[in-house]
Amino acid sequence: MTQPLILAIESSCDETAASVVRGGVDILSNVVSSQIESHKRFGGVVPEVASRHHVERVTYVIEEALSTADVTIEEVDAIAVTEGPGLVGALLVGISAAKALAFAHGKPLIGVHHIAGHIYANRLVGELEFPLVCLIASGGHTELIYMPEDGVYEVIGETRDDAAGEAYDKVARTLKLPYPGGPQIDRLAQSGKDTFRFPRIWLEKDSYDFSFSGLKSSVINAVHNAEQRGEKIVPEDLAASFQASVVEVLVGKAIRAAKDKGAKQLLLAGGVAANKGLRGALEAACKQEGIPLLTPPLALCGDNAAMIGAAAIHPYLAGRTSTLAMNAEPGLDLESK
Ligand code: KG4
Ligand code: ZN
């Protein structure tokens, strides 16, 4: 059987992306047009600016994905697109492009949950072994997901306030570092020490939930107090101290969840999965506990469309396609997908 070719489109936040993926595993092309430069001067993503960029870029990005893959739209078996969650105006651009192509060329349309995409970025590097637990850490989400089988998701823990990436970006802003702050803090942390010993927020003993707003406030207070006293803080040490707290809790809860759930594999996913400290600590902990770990390569941690193509294969093979009535769902629920 020839493996289905899926053209995937992602536009939920600040990357306009398209990709052709064969059989949910082989990336034939993966085009990402980033808008980071346009959002930098605002210190974060401005939804209206994001939508305009998507409108300008989406057709070119799709054409480039097809031509790089050396595939015509007629050869594509289905068109997948991020249905949600994300910025409604941004999502709408990708969805409208996908619907137009599906309608004009008579192709099935598949709506994909953005977080399912992040999880399936791992399928592009190796086989998934079920049941598994996935730690998602991105700009909008921090969750622990249990997957008993392909395409079935149970959210067993989530952040009660800020997402990990959001906390990274806010701490970076306090240090006057450019957006997005995660990679900047990560870089500084490499040469710093955990001198501040910020709190580790574990919440109730059995909970898999997270909370980062208290930690974020501790960091901001430390910076302001130092400023008021006319003292200089060492940014590397502040970054290393913040990162140590985030990483210890993320790794601790992910390992506990994997053990409690008898997971055959632990997966890491989302933009923060690119974090060196997190990857290193999770690798070490998994090795010690004998838990097989799968992590996407750096290029597949941030938003991209190859991950959407990977996640689309299961609904496509199961015949779970969407209609042209599909709409952007900014608060789309993963468990119901
Ligand atoms: O998954 P993603 O690309 O977009 C969302 O779906 O949110 O994640 C973006 C987030 C941003 O908050 C960014 O600062 C963070 O991921 N991030 C990092 C690193 N690279 C990206 N955070 C910590 N360390 C990194 N190396
Ligand atoms: Zn994302």
Side-chain angles (χ1 to χ4, degrees), residues 284-305:
C286 282
K287 203 166 164 199
Q288 192 180 338
E289 299 292 340
I291 303 168
L293 173 71
L294 211 51
T295 51
L298 294 189
L300 295 175
C301 288
D303 291 346
N304 65 85

Side-chain angles (χ1 to χ4, degrees), residues 74-245:
E74 300 308 335
E75 290 171 308
V76 163
D77 293 295
I79 298 176
V81 64
T82 307
E83 188 177 357
L87 303 169
V88 66
L91 288 164
L92 264 176
V93 179
I95 291 174
S96 305
K99 285 207 264 191
L101 286 172
F103 179 65
H105 299 277
K107 305 285 178 187
L109 181 67
I110 302 164
V112 175
H113 192 287
H114 183 76
I115 295 301
H118 276 301
I119 296 173
Y120 276 84
N122 284 287
R123 183 64 190 92
L124 297 162
V125 284
E127 291 282 344
L128 303 187
E129 305 272 352
F130 298 98
L132 62 78
V133 166
C134 182
L135 169 65
I136 306 275
S138 76
H141 293 81
T142 301
E143 286 164 7
L144 277 165
I145 315 251
Y146 173 67
M147 290 183 69
E149 58 186 271
D150 232 341
V152 180
Y153 311 92
E154 191 190 323
V155 180
I156 57 172
E158 61 194 340
T159 183
R160 294 185 186 171
D161 38 60
D162 292 352
E166 200 180 345
Y168 264 96
D169 294 337
K170 285 180 184 164
V171 166
R173 206 187 300 185
T174 308
L175 288 176
K176 302 189 173 56
L177 296 168
Y179 177 84
Q184 310 277 344
I185 298 279
D186 193 10
R187 182 178 49 76
L188 284 178
Q190 303 308 311
S191 49
K193 288 200 183 66
D194 180 8
T195 52
F196 287 82
R197 293 301 300 171
F198 290 123
R200 273 61 173 157
I201 314 292
W202 293 105
L203 302 172
E204 306 81 52
K205 196 171 166 292
D206 299 334
S207 176
Y208 296 124
D209 283 351
F210 301 97
S211 167
F212 295 107
S213 71
L215 169 63
K216 179 192 68 190
S217 304
S218 301
V219 177
I220 294 171
N221 287 342
V223 173
H224 289 170
N225 289 345
E227 272 169 5
Q228 273 167 1
R229 283 194 239 110
E231 290 169 10
K232 259 191 134 0
I233 53 152
V234 182
E236 288 82 357
D237 288 348
L238 189 89
S241 303
F242 164 72
Q243 182 150 303
S245 170

